[in-house]
Amino acid sequence: MNKRVYSGIRATGRLHLGNYFGAVKGMLELQDNYDCIFSVVDLHTITVPYDPSTLQSSVREIIIDYLAAGLDPNKCKIEIQSMVPQHTELAYLLSTIYPVSRLEDLPTYKEKKAQYPKYINMGLLYYPVLMAADVLLYKGELVPVGIDQEPHLEVMREIARKFNSMFGQTFPEPQRFKTNGDYVPSLVGAGKMSKSINGSFINLTDDLKTIRKRLAYAPTDSGLIGGNVPETGGVANLFKLLKLFKLDKEYNKFEQDYRDKKIRYSELKDVLAEAIFKELQPFQAKRKEFINNPKLVDLIIIEGQKKCIQIVEQTIKEVRKKMGLT
Ligand code: TYM
């Protein structure tokens, strides 16, 4: 049997270039040769403040994004996490073998606590356990995600190891599948591109005008510094984006311009905007097709659920038995 692959994206808004390069590109690469399950993780979505009246449509948007990007339901299984209730059952069972102190120490938990000081809930602490359950439920071995998810994967492996040692060999230890865009930098000059940081991202649904506008705000310098292109900051990030979009010739030209103190950032941003839009155009066209065919999307969701439940029922049965519950 082919190796199992699992990945998921929260329904917190439109997908951006970080999600695309860090996760979706990896999913596309793997769907041809592995047994893949790709999820919209709505139960993870509700760990931070959200609007219940728009959650359903946000989930559907991500499903449509998946399909438009090229995930093919004939090659992979597409899942909405809450439609497969075994996720929460396994998460609870796994939570009984994992220390709270380790979860409190995780950087993502600390970040979210700082971001939403009035919304520090159990679900937030529990987030990595549910994520471990997502992958282990399918006995997933490969997880295409960005580098920011590595601490969560470490938890996943620890849980798998602990479960195996306590109850007998059951779960593989999942590894991250790395893409060459596993850390897409922010447009604000520091950190990663993120849905929760205004001005940091370009959405996959953005038109050329919007992409240009977003890039226009990206910080640069006087252009009169010379020497090597810096390794961090706004200028560095623009150069990283040139690389990501395989604009090697242009990269070399602008690098030389930088050295010669004659770089024109408006020109660089223009080249970048055109390349980004070109990459996104087929996605945007396919997106419209799926929006115009809601019945097909419904069918894909229902079929996905059926196939997924068949797989996970076996895991839950095995886990219940090993833990002495049946
Ligand atoms: P989420 O929704 O925050 O992010 C979805 C995916 O996008 C990647 N990503 C990035 N990659 C590169 N550069 C960036 N700037 C960037 N920003 C986001 C993330 O690494 C992720 O792959 N915890 C997960 C959701 C999840 C999950 C799972 C993933 C829940 N259960 C099981 C894999 C397996 C998350 O935060 O997604």
Side-chain angles (χ1 to χ4, degrees):
M1 201 183 75
N2 280 340
K3 266 191 190 178
R4 281 258 165 77
V5 172
Y6 186 97
S7 192
I9 294 185
R10 288 174 300 144
T12 43
R14 288 289 156 87
L15 291 195
H16 56 67
L17 290 179
N19 305 131
Y20 182 59
F21 281 102
V24 178
K25 280 250 179 183
M27 297 178 185
L28 290 169
E29 217 177 306
L30 293 169
Q31 70 171 346
D32 286 322
N33 299 310
Y34 293 90
D35 184 4
C36 297
I37 298 100
F38 298 128
S39 184
V40 182
V41 286
D42 51 352
L43 297 171
H44 281 105
T45 311
I46 63 173
T47 55
V48 293
Y50 75 103
D51 179 358
S53 69
T54 55
L55 183 61
Q56 285 294 314
S57 62
S58 306
V59 167
R60 202 176 167 90
E61 292 290 325
I62 304 284
I63 296 274
I64 292 173
D65 283 342
Y66 275 166
L67 297 169
L71 292 191
D72 178 349
N74 294 314
K75 295 179 180 170
C76 65
K77 296 167 195 69
I78 294 179
E79 173 208 68
I80 294 175
Q81 185 189 32
S82 68
M83 286 174 72
V84 179
Q86 287 82 351
H87 283 274
T88 40
E89 181 171 359
L90 184 61
Y92 174 75
L93 296 174
L94 297 179
S95 77
T96 64
I97 65 164
Y98 201 69
V100 172
S101 56
R102 179 76 178 89
L103 295 171
E104 283 169 334
D105 258 359
L106 283 172
T108 40
Y109 176 62
K110 288 182 183 162
E111 271 164 35
K112 286 282 183 294
K113 256 174 77 173
Q115 203 177 343
Y116 305 105
K118 295 206 175 113
Y119 212 79
I120 306 169
N121 57 72
M122 280 290 287
L124 208 52
L125 183 68
Y126 199 69
Y127 187 113
V129 180
L130 178 59
M131 185 164 159
D134 292 341
V135 178
L136 299 179
L137 194 54
Y138 291 93
K139 303 198 175 183
E141 290 181 69
L142 269 183
V143 185
V145 281
I147 204 162
D148 59 323
Q149 297 300 307
E150 198 54 74
H152 289 153
L153 283 181
E154 196 47 51
V155 171
M156 219 177 263
R157 289 189 285 269
E158 281 172 21
I159 291 180
R161 268 198 298 279
K162 184 130 186 237
F163 188 96
N164 293 343
S165 76
M166 288 173 75
F167 304 110
Q169 182 60 40
T170 310
F171 298 119
E173 288 183 31
Q175 303 296 324
R176 188 165 72 88
F177 178 75
K178 302 180 180 114
T179 62
N180 63 357
D182 64 0
Y183 185 91
V184 178
S186 159
L187 296 184
V188 295
K192 61 163 188 159
M193 188 173 281
S194 163
K195 282 174 225 187
S196 54
I197 302 172
N198 268 342
S200 82
F201 55 81
I202 289 175
N203 285 331
L204 303 191
T205 45
D206 285 346
D207 58 19
L208 184 57
K209 202 170 143 208
T210 310
I211 297 171
R212 283 212 172 103
K213 207 164 100 193
R214 292 195 197 272
L215 283 174
Y217 286 115
T220 53
D221 57 28
S222 64
L224 299 169
I225 296 171
N228 289 336
V229 171
E231 281 176 16
T232 55
V235 170
N237 290 352
L238 289 174
F239 273 88
K240 280 179 197 153
L241 286 173
L242 287 177
K243 268 262 157 70
L244 208 52
F245 282 88
K246 300 201 172 77
L247 296 163
D248 294 340
K249 220 173 70 213
E250 291 81 353
Y251 184 100
N252 293 339
K253 175 209 160 343
F254 287 116
E255 192 182 34
Q256 193 56 49
D257 287 353
Y258 188 88
R259 280 208 188 94
D260 298 342
K261 303 183 187 177
K262 60 171 198 192
I263 186 161
R264 287 179 53 225
Y265 290 114
S266 57
E267 195 190 327
L268 185 156
K269 288 179 176 181
D270 230 40
V271 167
L272 197 53
E274 296 277 352
I276 293 173
F277 185 59
K278 194 166 161 225
E279 168 99 13
L280 297 183
Q281 257 177 328
F283 165 83
Q284 295 179 0
K286 264 182 104 181
R287 208 173 187 288
K288 281 197 192 119
E289 282 175 31
F290 284 107
I291 286 177
N292 290 332
N293 199 344
K295 286 222 170 90
L296 177 62
V297 177
D298 289 343
L299 191 70
I300 290 169
I301 293 172
I302 293 295
E303 285 298 311
Q305 182 194 26
K306 269 193 217 147
K307 289 182 200 160
C308 287
I309 285 193
Q310 259 179 19
I311 303 173
V312 301
E313 271 176 342
Q314 294 170 27
T315 313
I316 283 292
K317 229 163 119 185
E318 184 185 354
V319 169
R320 282 174 151 266
K321 186 148 188 272
K322 285 188 168 155
M323 291 183 81
L325 291 161
T326 48

